[in-house]
Amino acid sequence: MSGVLVVAAATHPSVVTATLRVLVAVRPGWLAAAVLVEVVSVLAIAQLHRVLLGAAGATRPRTGDYLAVTYVGGAVSSSLPGGPALAIAYVYRQLRARGVAEASAAWALVVSGAVSTATIALVGSAVLTLAGHLDAVTVVLGAVEVTAVPGLIALVRWAARHPRPVIGCASAVLGRLNVLLRRPVHTGRERVVAAASALNGIRPAWRHWLCAVTWSAINWGADAACLALCLLAAGAALPSPGALVLAYVAGVVTTELAVTPAGVGTTEAAITTVLVAHGSPTHPALAAVLLFRLLSPGLNTAVGATIAAIRRSPRPGRSARRPFRRGQGAGSDVSVDPAPGEVPAGTGGVEHERDRVGGAGS
């Protein structure tokens, strides 16, 4: 946020002065509500992962423990170059440290990213369609939206029950990658075969998919609600639902395409531009967006970094690394050191989850 203010101060000092006045007079009640819904958003990410881990047959980590992992993963995603990939690697290794099988951990992370992406596309497009005018294009888009999530679920179920095509495609990609890296063509193929064969045993029920989509919708909805509450905290009137969702989605897309960690600078500009274009006053809108970004990813990153520092700090009579507790029970401690196994390839998606508009993710 400081970088945005520095650039603005150099180009439009009067705008910065007016925006700072709005920030000084922020309404604490609305700001506290924004903090609360952002916590709900991060909790929803953790619950999404826990639901999918249970669907994969793995023992689910305890909610509090995995919420801490989610915060640290979000901090990594939002603060480092290449953060989303590093965050996925971190979460994967924490799952492996808790005894989750390679296939189950990889499956849960891949599917959570896919469900998260499909959910924001479905919900965002639906709101924008309802807020606009009904025409042939919106009818076609609406039909696509209705079938997007069920189609994704059906594709994942098919892939789990037909591992041979998956093994063939993955082996072909791995072979080309090995050639580029000047390694033997079949390097790693045994692991691909073993992982794909293990996926055949993962048969989630429809209730698992429904819970996953629900938690994903809560994740995105709470984060968008945080933006709305920040507007109220800054004294700005709420725009129409369509305009609010459009501004939020613009921030999500900009964050995904930005080269800076968490899209710092470009995301704030994108959200503010959309809000102002739909009638929000410039100074309150900019102040609200800065508040929003201060919470998501700012506050989430600070919480994650604090958790990581506390769990790595030396204690009297303990080693420098404090062990995490395994989800199976209160009496079983394991080290945070990565478990054996490679980080799964291709675990992308909007999420982490959340390096979305704000980073608490996905």
Side-chain angles (χ1 to χ4, degrees), residues 55 116 124 193-194 216 288 314:
S116 182
V193 173
S216 181

Side-chain angles (χ1 to χ4, degrees), residues 231 239 243 247 268-286 289:
L231 284 166
E268 292 84 355
I271 300 175
T272 304
T273 299
V274 175
L275 290 174
V276 172
H278 285 80
S280 296
T282 301
H283 303 149
L286 178 56
V289 171

Side-chain angles (χ1 to χ4, degrees), residues 16-356:
V16 173
T17 301
T19 302
L20 291 176
R21 289 174 182 170
V22 175
L23 290 173
V24 170
V26 68
R27 301 175 182 180
W30 290 118
L31 184 59
V35 173
L36 179 61
V37 298
E38 191 58 34
V39 173
V40 172
S41 179
V42 180
L43 176 62
I45 298 172
Q47 292 295 82
L48 168 62
H49 284 189
R50 293 181 71 249
V51 165
L52 292 174
L53 287 169
T59 301
R60 298 188 299 178
R62 290 180 294 112
T63 301
D65 175 45
Y66 197 68
L67 180 61
V69 172
T70 304
Y71 265 113
V72 177
V76 172
S77 177
S78 301
S79 58
L80 298 175
L86 296 175
I88 292 170
Y90 169 80
V91 174
Y92 174 79
R93 290 177 177 178
Q94 292 303 316
L95 290 174
R96 294 287 292 123
R98 285 157 178 74
V100 178
E102 289 184 14
S104 298
W107 183 89
L109 292 176
V110 170
V111 174
S112 67
V115 169
S116 182
T117 302
T119 302
I120 190 174
L122 174 64
V123 175
S125 300
V127 172
L128 293 175
T129 299
L130 293 174
H133 299 287
L134 190 64
D135 54 25
V137 175
T138 54
V139 170
V140 173
L141 289 176
V144 173
E145 294 154 14
V146 170
T147 58
V149 174
L152 172 66
I153 293 173
L155 178 62
V156 172
R157 288 167 66 91
W158 178 88
R161 297 183 181 186
H162 300 82
R164 287 188 178 181
V166 176
I167 292 174
C169 293
S171 298
V173 173
L174 181 62
R176 291 182 178 274
L177 182 61
N178 286 332
V179 170
L180 292 175
L181 297 177
R182 297 181 179 180
R183 299 186 301 195
V185 176
H186 297 293
T187 300
R189 189 177 186 280
E190 295 79 5
R191 297 180 64 86
V192 170
V193 173
S197 300
L199 292 178
N200 190 40
I202 301 177
R203 304 288 179 89
W206 281 100
R207 62 183 177 86
H208 292 125
W209 292 113
L210 180 60
C211 288
V213 172
T214 300
W215 281 117
S216 181
I218 293 173
N219 164 225
W220 292 114
D223 198 50
C226 180
L227 174 59
L229 291 169
C230 287
L231 284 166
L232 294 174
L238 288 179
S240 65
L244 181 65
V245 171
L246 182 61
Y248 181 78
V249 172
V252 172
V253 175
T254 304
T255 300
E256 290 299 308
L257 299 177
V259 295
T260 57
V264 173
T266 55
T267 299
E268 292 84 355
I271 300 175
T272 304
T273 299
V274 175
L275 290 174
V276 172
H278 285 80
S280 296
T282 301
H283 303 149
L286 178 56
V289 171
L290 293 178
L291 283 175
F292 171 61
R293 296 285 286 168
L294 188 62
L295 298 180
S296 173
L299 179 62
N300 297 327
T301 300
V303 172
T306 302
I307 293 173
I310 291 175
R311 289 192 162 183
R312 292 177 64 89
S313 62
R315 300 288 183 85
R318 291 195 176 190
S319 63
R321 292 192 178 196
R322 180 183 176 186
F324 283 94
R325 286 200 175 272
R326 188 180 301 217
Q328 288 90 322
S332 55
D333 292 343
V334 296
S335 171
V336 299
D337 290 337
E342 297 178 358
V343 178
T347 50
V350 176
E351 175 209 9
H352 184 298
E353 263 160 349
R354 208 140 139 264
D355 191 26
R356 43 177 211 282

